[in-house]
């Protein structure tokens, strides 16, 4: 079996695991801390919309803060992703306070695809589009691939993530639609002041959402 075939089989495992769901654990703490230390870019934090002026808007390292379990994060400022010239996609605006789990990779595959890899920015963009569903799922997946390419993610990894989405994307899309229909929210108006609070605890408070 070739290396390419092995990685392909691994991605099918990734997709299957995502389709069944899964949870993170403290074993990925070091990788997540490395990501947080790199998340130092300055962004406006007053909740105002940032007007995109060029593709450089993509270059903003996402400033995110974790809940205590390091499974979920919220954006500390607004973010943009802009399509390249000729791409059939619309700009993605992510408001301050959006809650994301970054790249939804099961623990079994962290050594190959850490949740906080080079594709983390693209994962936040993809999470948001999958949540608001203001375009088709096919376009959402296309945005992920384009955003990963912008971040210079290796082409093989982009292909592998697309493979995983082919297996698991439909379930994630439908689960988000069902959650929104039931009134679940993911955009915070109020940030926690207790560093030991979890996302599950914080989201049960009725006054924290936009």
């Amino acid at each position: 079996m070739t290396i390419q075939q092995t990685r392909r089989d691994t991605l099918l495992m990734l997709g299957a695991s995502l389709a069944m769901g899964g949870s993170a654990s403290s074993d990925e703490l070091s990788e997540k801390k490395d990501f947080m230390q790199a998340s130092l870019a300055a962004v406006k934090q007053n909740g105002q919309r940032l007007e995109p002026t060029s593709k450089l808007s993509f270059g903003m390292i996402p400033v995110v803060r974790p809940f205590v379990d390091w499974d979920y994060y919220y954006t500390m400022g607004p973010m943009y992703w802009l399509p390249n010239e000729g791409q059939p996609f619309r700009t993605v605006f992510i408001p301050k306070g959006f809650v994301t789990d970054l790249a939804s990779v099961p623990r079994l595959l962290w050594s190959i695809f850490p949740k906080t890899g080079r594709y983390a920015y693209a994962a936040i963009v993809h999470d948001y589009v999958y949540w608001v569903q203001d375009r088709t799922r096919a376009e959402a997946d296309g945005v992920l691939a384009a955003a990963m390419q912008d971040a210079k993610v290796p082409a093989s990894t982009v292909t592998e993530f697309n493979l995983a989405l082919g297996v698991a994307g439909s379930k994630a899309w439908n689960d988000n639609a069902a959650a929104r229909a039931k009134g679940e929210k993911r955009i915070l108006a109020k940030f926690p002041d207790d560093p030991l609070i979890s996302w599950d605890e914080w989201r049960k408070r009725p006054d924290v959402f936009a």
Side-chain angles (χ1 to χ4, degrees):
M1 180 178 292
T2 67
I3 293 176
Q4 183 177 8
Q5 289 172 323
T6 300
R7 289 177 69 84
R8 185 182 181 89
D9 290 344
T10 298
L11 257 293
L12 289 173
M13 290 172 55
L14 167 61
S17 180
L18 289 173
M20 292 185 293
S23 59
S25 86
S26 59
D27 288 353
E28 66 179 330
L29 185 60
S30 177
E31 180 69 35
K32 290 181 176 181
K33 282 185 176 179
D34 290 343
F35 173 74
M36 293 299 296
Q37 289 170 359
S39 180
L40 300 175
V43 297
K44 293 181 181 178
Q45 302 197 16
N46 57 7
Q48 299 294 319
R49 287 180 69 94
L50 295 177
E51 293 303 322
T53 56
S54 71
K55 193 65 181 180
L56 291 177
S57 297
F58 168 82
M60 211 167 36
I61 296 176
V63 178
V64 297
R65 181 170 294 172
F67 287 92
V68 67
D69 48 18
W70 292 76
D71 286 338
Y72 288 88
Y73 305 71
Y74 51 92
T75 58
M76 294 298 293
M79 295 165 48
Y80 270 106
W81 176 81
L82 299 176
N84 291 312
E85 185 176 354
Q87 290 179 331
F89 306 127
R90 289 175 287 140
T91 297
V92 179
F93 170 77
I94 304 168
K96 176 181 178 179
F98 175 63
V99 176
T100 174
D101 65 350
L102 303 182
S104 303
V105 178
R107 180 183 174 192
L108 178 65
L109 301 178
W110 284 344
S111 62
I112 304 174
F113 301 107
K115 289 171 67 70
T116 54
R118 179 180 284 270
Y119 39 73
Y121 186 102
I124 295 173
V125 173
H126 189 250
D127 263 8
Y128 181 73
V129 178
Y130 256 52
W131 179 250
V132 299
Q133 298 187 0
D134 61 351
R135 61 200 76 197
T136 66
R137 182 186 149 213
E139 181 177 349
D141 292 346
V143 166
L144 174 66
M148 290 173 75
Q149 290 165 0
D150 285 339
K152 302 188 186 307
V153 174
S156 59
T157 299
V158 175
T159 299
E160 290 162 348
F161 266 76
N162 284 337
L163 236 149
L165 283 171
V167 177
S170 179
K171 182 179 186 303
W173 182 270
N174 293 336
D175 285 351
N176 281 352
R180 290 178 67 238
K182 291 179 180 179
E184 185 173 326
K185 298 181 179 179
R186 292 277 182 88
I187 301 174
L188 300 178
K190 181 179 179 181
F191 292 2
D193 51 15
D194 179 0
L196 298 180
I197 199 163
S198 69
W199 165 234
D200 280 339
E201 293 172 311
W202 189 247
R203 68 179 176 176
K204 291 175 182 176
R205 302 189 183 189
D207 60 339
V208 302
F209 293 105

